[in-house]
Amino acid sequence: MITVQPSVPAAVLKSLLHNGIVHRALALAVATIVLIAVRHPTWVPYAVSLYAIWNAAAVTLNAVQATRAAKS
């Protein structure tokens, strides 16, 4: 019998979900699908740019919160 080992530890997945990275990635995927479905594929680069800004801000804020928590 072959056992399948997860390639990513559960703690890492939990951390990614907690930080919202997965949610932001899903939001980008949905936005891309919707824009293509409504025949506005030229807007996809703008959605990706907004996602990049949103993601960078969120990651920065999470890093600040982690730093503050570590100091306490």
Side-chain angles (χ1 to χ4, degrees), residues 39-61:
R39 302 193 185 274
H40 289 292
T42 56
W43 291 6
V44 172
Y46 298 111
V48 172
S49 297
L50 286 174
Y51 164 78
I53 294 167
W54 180 26
N55 196 44
V59 168
T60 302
L61 291 174

Side-chain angles (χ1 to χ4, degrees), residues 22-52 54:
V22 174
H23 299 113
R24 290 189 299 273
L26 287 174
L28 175 62
V30 169
T32 301
I33 291 167
V34 168
L35 288 171
I36 291 171
V38 297
R39 302 193 185 274
H40 289 292
T42 56
W43 291 6
V44 172
Y46 298 111
V48 172
S49 297
L50 286 174
Y51 164 78
W54 180 26

